[in-house]
Amino acid sequence: MTTSTLSLPGGTWALGDLTVTRFGYGAMQLAGPGVMGPPPDPDAARAVLRTAVDLGITHLDTSDAYGPRTTNELIRQVLHPYPDHLVIATKVGATRDAQGGWPTARRPADLRRQVHENLESLGVDRLDLVDLRMGDAQGPRAGSLAEAFGTLVELQREGLVRHLGLSNVTADQVTEARGIGRVVCVQNMYNLAHRHDDALVDALAADGIAYVPFFPLGGFTPLQADALADVAARLGATRTAVALAWLLRRSPNTLLIPGTSSTAHLRENVAGAGLVLSDDDVAELDGIAG
């Protein structure tokens, strides 16, 4: 039986005219090692997607670059035809090379091709949400996104994209994009130890725009901090639970997309994010970022 979305930690948030659970699922880990190729255990990967929907999660984050095509094709195989309430967010702006790198691809022709590839691999006529990925593997980079974002606005007007977001961007780029078209979310690296976007999180919240932290648990370098371990021990919880619960409490516009290739870990993440933190817990955790 599907769990009510209201029982998921954090409740819901509006992405434009779409309502999603604040606790979502990031599909990147469903691809093989290095986010390349098929998963080691395809049946387990399919089970994770089914479990996510059964738990009531209505926000899936993916990209045709994962694999490439692996996660999108898994999502289509398992969940298509999609439930009306399911929102699938994808990203464009980078491709993959034979070495597993992420070369940028943000020329208008590149973006149009990527949008059509996502439409094909997901099996839809219109994408719910497309994030424009800027910067590189080292993080955001200053520079204009006008041509790239303008191309996505054109694709939106053509009916191929419902809503637009940004990923791996600076605050100035967010401002620039909002002058070109509507932005419903910003997806940047952010967690307890990486708080560089604090001001941006608050500014977006004031304007009703979602903030989606990727690598909420540290990504390839899992969060390690004495304060995190101390709070977790005091509450009898895992460090993962504390880190996710802190993000949900950080601001009402934060949407979580922790990834996993295990149904057990997915269930643990959902349960852990519902952990209740006291003001003293939060104050102690806030000191991690220095």
Side-chain angles (χ1 to χ4, degrees):
M1 179 180 294
T2 300
T3 301
S4 167
T5 58
L6 294 178
S7 67
L8 285 168
T12 60
W13 180 268
L15 287 172
D17 61 347
L18 301 172
T19 298
V20 299
T21 51
R22 288 183 64 206
F23 192 100
Y25 173 71
M28 185 173 72
Q29 291 189 32
L30 295 185
V35 202
M36 291 291 286
D41 187 341
D43 288 340
R46 295 184 188 101
V48 169
L49 290 169
R50 294 190 190 98
T51 301
V53 172
D54 287 346
L55 289 171
I57 290 171
T58 64
H59 176 204
L60 297 185
D61 181 84
T62 185
S63 172
D64 208 50
Y66 297 163
R69 297 185 76 87
T70 299
T71 62
N72 279 10
E73 290 179 349
L74 278 169
I75 289 170
R76 180 177 182 175
Q77 290 168 12
V78 175
L79 302 178
H80 194 279
Y82 305 114
D84 291 340
H85 59 272
L86 185 65
V87 175
I88 301 176
T90 190
K91 285 174 288 298
V92 296
T95 57
R96 306 303 300 279
D97 59 30
Q99 293 72 43
W102 302 78
T104 59
R106 294 193 286 263
R107 295 175 301 180
D110 295 329
L111 296 172
R112 285 186 168 273
R113 173 179 51 78
Q114 291 169 70
V115 164
H116 282 281
E117 288 172 347
N118 276 279
L119 288 165
E120 178 184 0
S121 58
L122 288 170
V124 294
D125 296 324
R126 180 172 65 167
L127 299 170
D128 294 328
L129 169 61
V130 174
D131 291 323
L132 172 64
R133 183 184 186 274
M134 296 295 292
D136 54 32
Q138 282 67 53
R141 293 288 180 264
S144 176
L145 49 61
E147 181 180 56
F149 196 71
T151 298
L152 293 185
V153 170
E154 290 175 3
L155 288 162
Q156 184 181 43
R157 290 171 180 159
E158 292 168 16
L160 300 179
V161 178
R162 190 164 185 168
H163 293 298
L164 297 174
L166 303 169
S167 179
N168 208 31
V169 289
T170 67
D172 286 343
Q173 288 167 336
V174 174
T175 299
E176 182 183 28
R178 294 182 66 189
I180 299 169
R182 185 181 184 187
V183 174
V184 300
C185 67
V186 173
Q187 184 182 119
N188 278 359
M189 181 177 178
Y190 183 83
N191 54 52
L192 267 170
H194 296 86
R195 302 279 299 277
H196 51 281
D197 267 358
D198 271 341
L200 180 59
V201 172
D202 294 335
L204 294 174
D207 288 340
I209 298 172
Y211 185 91
V212 187
F214 67 75
F215 290 167
L217 304 174
F220 301 115
T221 54
L223 294 175
Q224 301 288 335
D226 290 342
L228 179 58
D230 290 345
V231 171
R234 185 166 65 244
L235 297 176
T238 66
R239 287 178 295 183
T240 293
V242 173
L244 292 175
W246 178 86
L247 281 168
L248 278 181
R249 172 159 170 164
R250 168 65 183 82
S251 183
N253 66 324
T254 54
L255 309 184
L256 303 190
I257 52 168
T260 179
S261 57
S262 160
T263 56
H265 289 162
L266 174 60
R267 293 181 183 277
E268 290 171 6
N269 285 344
V270 171
L275 183 69
V276 177
L277 301 175
S278 70
D279 291 343
D280 289 341
D281 295 332
V282 172
E284 186 172 350
L285 294 167
D286 282 346
I288 290 176

